[in-house]
Amino acid sequence: MSTTAFTVMFAVWMMFGILGIPIQKELGLSDVELSWISAVAILNGSMWRLPAGMLTDRIGGRRVTVFMLLATAIPAYFVSQATSYLMLLMLAFLVGFAGNLFSVGIAWNAAWYPRDRQGFALGVFGAGNVGASVTKFIGPALITGTAGATYAFGVQGGWRLVPALYAILLVAIAVLTWVITPHHDMMPGRSQSMASMLAPLKDVRVWRFGLYYVAVFGAYVALSVWLPKYYVDNFGVDLWTAALLTATFIFPASLLRPVGGWFSDQFGARRGMYFTFTVMLVTSGLLMMPNGHLVVVQVDGTETEHWNYSMGIVPFVILVFLLGCAMGIGKAAVYKHIPEYFPTAVGPVGGLVGMLGGLGGFFLPPMFAYTKDWFGFPSSTFFVIFVLTAVCALWMHWTVVHMLHRGSPQLADYFEPPPAHNPDLLDPAPDDRTTAGLALASATGAKNETEARA
């Protein structure tokens, strides 16, 4: 039920990715104005994640989930009545409250599952991100098939019908959640003080995980709402085709999340993050340069062009698909870290990490629009993602190397196999799994042994 509720709420949160195109035509909005409609929704879907996660640990996810479903249904209905840009901007902000259900579900599911199954369980819940594609499937057909019609309570057809239908669905899911889920809920933070719940937020690792989540989730959210317009503007496809092509990004970025959770359970979250960042750097690096040529300047000043290339829609879609696969694995890997490092504070830590990731989704759509205006080419969208991913990958790798050097100072200066005359470096203890693992365990104690293996 938590996954079902999250799927519907995510669909509501991301609905402006499709509705924005007919809204732009009806209200005569610029690209930057349109980007702010999605951005304010993403902002409000991020800023309450920390208190929502904490509240879930204290009173249980069942109550918080039902409240959020009903609270989102009200502005969702009124979006169908919006008549001006300012009114739509305000309602988009209120509808964005739906995005905060993520931290509720993370804390709720983590409380119900043992640690060795949390990665997969949180991955299954997180697959509710696939809700971003719901509007992309039903939206174009509803918008085209109902344009000009009027329904009950004065709801008009076209794009206005979609948020009205979502409002009804949210109320129905709220009732089902209250009836079906266990009345006796898990509340791991019920007896904790506010200070003890917030204490882990002082750890720099929490903020590092938050930056990772900006890259794998914030960028995912931003691209989910930005790609339909990107396809329409740059490849000349219609809205229905653009929605389907965007779904080829959303589905792997959502449905592979359980796979990422299983992989992290089996092989460690860090390996999952290295895979994620490597694939994201390669794909975004190619996507930010879809067309070009090499210019050679001769000694006499003449110039010649070589290796002209142009990326068509098929290779573009394939690269975006692979980018989505990497993000799906990475989202689960980030959240696998949290119950491992902070088992008694999943709510507040998961809430803060989710909030930071969501805020990344708030800043990125306007950044896509502004960089397009500044540089004059639309593929600057992927340049932004490339730079963000590179910063995350460098910080993570520096942290891992620094940790190993601190735990294994006798190996810090050796980039080749240790010299034969140093038996201490060549002959580790028989029960050691790796040289670095032994050094780190002996230097920092058994507490960090799990981290060293990861």
Side-chain angles (χ1 to χ4, degrees), residues 4 22 84 92 145 164 181 186 241 245 259 280 286 302 304 336 403-404 437:
T4 302
S84 67
T181 56
M186 299 289 186
T241 303
L245 293 177
V259 177
M280 287 183 66
L286 293 172
T302 60
T304 57
K336 172 62 177 176
M403 178 194 71
L404 293 175

Side-chain angles (χ1 to χ4, degrees), residues 300-317:
D300 59 1
T302 60
E303 297 181 358
T304 57
E305 293 184 5
H306 306 273
W307 295 348
N308 289 281
Y309 69 94
S310 179
M311 185 183 297
I313 191 170
V314 173
F316 184 91
V317 170

Side-chain angles (χ1 to χ4, degrees), residues 287-352:
L287 289 167
M288 73 182 182
M289 297 182 292
N291 309 291
H293 58 269
L294 178 67
V295 176
V296 178
V297 180
Q298 307 293 340
V299 177
D300 59 1
T302 60
E303 297 181 358
T304 57
E305 293 184 5
H306 306 273
W307 295 348
N308 289 281
Y309 69 94
S310 179
M311 185 183 297
I313 191 170
V314 173
F316 184 91
V317 170
I318 292 173
L319 287 171
V320 170
F321 170 80
L322 294 175
L323 181 63
C325 291
M327 289 179 173
I329 300 293
K331 285 186 286 187
V334 170
Y335 266 86
K336 172 62 177 176
H337 284 92
I338 294 173
E340 290 287 342
Y341 285 102
F342 309 100
T344 62
V346 174
V349 174
L352 179 63

Side-chain angles (χ1 to χ4, degrees), residues 83-101:
T83 56
S84 67
Y85 175 62
L86 185 60
M87 182 179 180
L88 191 63
L89 203 63
M90 180 183 68
L91 289 170
F93 177 80
L94 295 176
V95 165
F97 185 63
N100 295 290
L101 190 66

Side-chain angles (χ1 to χ4, degrees), residues 144-390:
T144 303
T146 63
T150 303
Y151 298 90
F153 305 106
V155 176
Q156 299 179 24
W159 68 265
R160 297 178 185 275
L161 182 62
V162 176
L165 291 177
Y166 276 146
I168 297 172
L169 187 58
L170 288 171
V171 173
I173 296 294
V175 173
L176 286 174
T177 301
W178 185 258
V179 171
I180 292 176
T181 56
H183 289 211
H184 176 70
D185 212 347
M186 299 289 186
M187 307 174 195
R190 188 175 187 177
S191 59
Q192 285 186 274
S193 66
M194 190 69 67
S196 64
M197 294 184 75
L198 292 173
L201 304 189
K202 300 176 183 178
D203 194 321
V204 70
R205 283 179 298 191
V206 176
W207 299 89
R208 180 160 49 87
F209 297 157
L211 181 62
Y212 297 168
Y213 208 59
V214 172
V216 297
F217 177 74
Y220 159 77
V221 169
L223 284 177
S224 295
V225 298
W226 192 254
L227 276 175
K229 182 172 176 54
Y230 192 99
Y231 280 120
V232 170
D233 290 348
N234 296 285
F235 292 101
V237 300
D238 57 31
L239 180 58
W240 173 247
T241 303
L244 289 178
L245 293 177
T246 302
T248 64
F249 164 75
I250 292 173
F251 269 93
S254 304
L255 298 182
L256 284 180
R257 194 161 182 163
V259 177
W262 172 85
F263 182 92
S264 298
D265 282 339
Q266 298 298 315
F267 305 104
R270 281 205 189 96
R271 287 189 176 93
M273 293 309 302
Y274 271 114
F275 169 82
T276 293
F277 290 150
T278 300
V279 176
M280 287 183 66
L281 285 172
V282 172
T283 53
S284 62
L286 293 172
L287 289 167
M288 73 182 182
M289 297 182 292
N291 309 291
H293 58 269
L294 178 67
V295 176
V296 178
V297 180
Q298 307 293 340
V299 177
D300 59 1
T302 60
E303 297 181 358
T304 57
E305 293 184 5
H306 306 273
W307 295 348
N308 289 281
Y309 69 94
S310 179
M311 185 183 297
I313 191 170
V314 173
F316 184 91
V317 170
I318 292 173
L319 287 171
V320 170
F321 170 80
L322 294 175
L323 181 63
C325 291
M327 289 179 173
I329 300 293
K331 285 186 286 187
V334 170
Y335 266 86
K336 172 62 177 176
H337 284 92
I338 294 173
E340 290 287 342
Y341 285 102
F342 309 100
T344 62
V346 174
V349 174
L352 179 63
V353 171
M355 181 182 74
L356 294 174
L359 288 175
F362 162 69
F363 286 109
L364 286 172
M367 194 174 296
F368 294 161
Y370 284 122
T371 54
K372 178 183 175 182
D373 286 346
W374 294 337
F375 299 120
F377 54 91
S379 58
S380 59
T381 292
F382 298 99
F383 171 73
V384 173
I385 294 175
F386 179 86
V387 172
L388 173 62
T389 305

Side-chain angles (χ1 to χ4, degrees), residues 74-164:
I74 299 171
Y77 169 76
F78 282 106
V79 167
S80 66
Q81 308 298 314
T83 56
S84 67
Y85 175 62
L86 185 60
M87 182 179 180
L88 191 63
L89 203 63
M90 180 183 68
L91 289 170
F93 177 80
L94 295 176
V95 165
F97 185 63
N100 295 290
L101 190 66
F102 175 74
S103 60
V104 175
I106 288 292
W108 195 15
N109 282 278
W112 276 92
Y113 287 91
R115 184 176 297 184
D116 61 345
R117 297 180 64 197
Q118 282 175 339
F120 181 72
L122 299 183
V124 171
F125 167 75
N129 287 162
V130 76
S133 66
V134 172
T135 310
K136 293 171 176 59
F137 279 120
I138 69 172
L142 279 175
I143 292 169
T144 303
T146 63
T150 303
Y151 298 90
F153 305 106
V155 176
Q156 299 179 24
W159 68 265
R160 297 178 185 275
L161 182 62
V162 176

